[in-house]
């Protein structure tokens, strides 16, 4: 569905996010495990996206601060992580995205990466949002599992108040009882009414928070179906975490997609995206 409300386009390098334009793929492993692993996954995803004709942004986190328990592996840390992300961008020519968790991380990461991501649990932290906006970099804000989609207008306004309106808004599911998330696809066009590009996070939407006691569970088998539904509704980008061995990944393994799933998924999404953006909702219904 093309959105009738005036829309902002956010351009990052050669990639443009726009609710009325062909979708972008944001993908990568949950966390940076090593330089070699990040480069391997990034190269595969970049080549697969290029073959499909889909713009690509590489995503990986140097620190997974929001782990279920202290037992969780957090990543390689900010120094090594930013160096690896810079190498991925320089080698492959794709924009790179990573999470930030505090003001100092935001400033440091803003000197290196192309898109700063605000985790869902931190999406209302005003000082963090302002610091992200002040970097001038594009800011991807994940909607908290506890927020309604229309609440993201106030969240986006905090970043835009800095003079930086390069904002992306991501839906990653909404809390539904204990240990479960549900996706309300009405939220995508609702968030698009803000004018900002909307991203759908298919893999975190199938997460089961705390589902394994000391770590989160999930059912990756449902992620492609949710991604197809999101593109059929209409969005600027699809976010998926992908891994060469998700069952043995240090974080979010139950949600992440095996690499062989990516090419057929992109083929499906391209077809649905073309249909969805062929006319606005009001033109047909």
């Amino acid at each position: 569905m093309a959105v009738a409300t005036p829309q902002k386009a956010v351009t990052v390098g050669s990639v443009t996010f726009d609710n009325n334009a062909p979708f972008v793929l944001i993908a990568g492993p949950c966390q940076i495990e090593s330089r070699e692993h990040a480069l391997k996954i990034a190269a595969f995803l970049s080549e697969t996206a290029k073959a499909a004709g889909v713009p690509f942004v590489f995503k990986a986190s140097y620190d997974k601060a929001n782990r279920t328990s202290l037992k969780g592996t957090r990543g390689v840390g900010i120094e090594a992580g930013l160096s690896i992300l810079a190498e991925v961008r320089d080698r492959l020519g794709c924009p790179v995205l990573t999470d930030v968790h505090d003001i100092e991380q935001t400033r440091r990461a803003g000197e290196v990466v192309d898109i700063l991501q605000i985790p869902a649990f931190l999406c209302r932290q005003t000082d963090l949002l302002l610091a992200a906006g002040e970097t001038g970099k594009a800011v991807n804000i994940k909607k908290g599992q506890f927020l309604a989609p229309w609440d993201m207008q106030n969240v986006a306004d905090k970043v835009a108040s800095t003079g930086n309106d390069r904002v992306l808004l991501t839906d990653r599911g909404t809390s539904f009882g204990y240990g479960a998330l549900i996706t309300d696809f009405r939220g995508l066009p609702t968030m698009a009414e803000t004018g900002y590009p909307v991203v759908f996070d298919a893999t975190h939407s199938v997460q089961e928070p705390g589902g394994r006691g000391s770590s989160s569970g999930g059912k990756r088998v449902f992620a492609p179906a949710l991604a197809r539904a999101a593109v059929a509704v209409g969005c600027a980008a699809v976010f998926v975490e992908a891994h060469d061995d998700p069952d043995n990944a240090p974080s979010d393994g139950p949600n992440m997609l095996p690499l062989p799933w990516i090419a057929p998924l992109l083929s499906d999404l391209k077809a649905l995206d073309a249909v969805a953006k062929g006319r606005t909702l009001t033109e047909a219904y």
Side-chain angles (χ1 to χ4, degrees):
M1 172 189 68
V3 180
T5 306
Q7 298 291 296
K8 301 177 178 69
V10 175
T11 298
V12 183
S14 61
V15 173
T16 297
F17 296 86
D18 185 330
N19 290 321
N20 294 330
F23 79 97
V24 175
L25 174 68
I26 302 173
C30 178
Q31 64 175 257
I32 300 172
E33 298 172 29
S34 69
R35 172 182 174 274
E36 294 74 17
H37 186 258
L39 289 169
K40 172 185 172 182
I41 302 298
F44 178 91
L45 293 170
S46 177
E47 291 166 9
T48 303
K50 184 176 181 180
V54 175
F56 170 65
V57 173
F58 179 71
K59 176 272 166 187
S61 301
Y62 55 79
D63 179 15
K64 299 300 296 183
N66 296 322
R67 299 309 307 275
T68 303
S69 76
L70 284 173
K71 297 177 182 178
T73 302
R74 291 182 54 167
V76 298
I78 191 167
E79 295 292 346
L82 292 179
S83 175
I84 291 166
L85 289 166
E87 185 173 358
V88 167
R89 183 186 55 226
D90 293 344
R91 283 197 178 200
L92 300 178
C94 60
V96 294
L97 173 155
T98 198
D99 298 292
V100 291
H101 305 91
D102 60 41
I103 293 172
E104 181 57 28
Q105 283 188 13
T106 300
R107 291 169 179 159
R108 293 173 68 185
E111 296 175 353
V112 177
V113 304
D114 303 289
I115 305 175
L116 299 171
Q117 181 163 277
I118 308 298
F121 288 127
L122 300 178
C123 71
R124 293 184 67 175
Q125 297 298 310
T126 300
D127 291 342
L128 179 61
L129 292 164
L130 295 177
E134 288 166 357
T135 67
K137 294 298 178 75
V139 182
N140 182 35
I141 312 168
K142 289 199 168 185
K143 182 184 78 66
Q145 301 92 323
F146 46 86
L147 289 185
W150 48 85
D151 293 329
M152 292 302 285
Q153 180 68 68
N154 288 328
V155 173
D157 287 346
K158 292 180 182 181
V159 175
S161 74
T162 67
N164 178 3
D165 65 353
R166 302 176 69 214
V167 174
L168 311 173
L169 302 178
T170 295
D171 192 333
R172 53 141 303 159
T174 301
S175 294
F176 184 74
Y178 293 115
L181 300 172
I182 193 167
T183 299
D184 178 357
F185 287 103
R186 297 174 299 177
L188 301 180
T190 299
M191 289 201 297
E193 289 296 323
T194 65
Y196 293 106
V198 173
V199 181
F200 179 68
D201 181 347
T203 46
H204 284 99
S205 292
V206 299
Q207 188 182 66
E208 295 174 343
R212 293 185 166 186
S214 61
S215 65
S216 291
K219 292 185 174 66
R220 74 173 68 96
V221 68
F222 294 118
L226 293 185
R228 291 194 295 267
V231 169
V233 171
C235 57
V238 172
F239 178 116
V240 297
E241 290 187 332
H243 198 279
D244 55 334
D245 185 13
D247 288 334
N248 292 299
S251 59
D252 273 358
N255 325 321
M256 284 197 285
L257 304 188
L259 297 182
W261 291 21
I262 301 301
L265 177 61
L266 291 181
S267 178
D268 289 349
L269 297 184
K270 280 200 72 176
L272 290 165
D273 189 58
V275 172
K277 290 171 180 168
R279 56 175 167 251
T280 66
L281 185 67
T282 55
E283 286 175 334
Y285 305 103

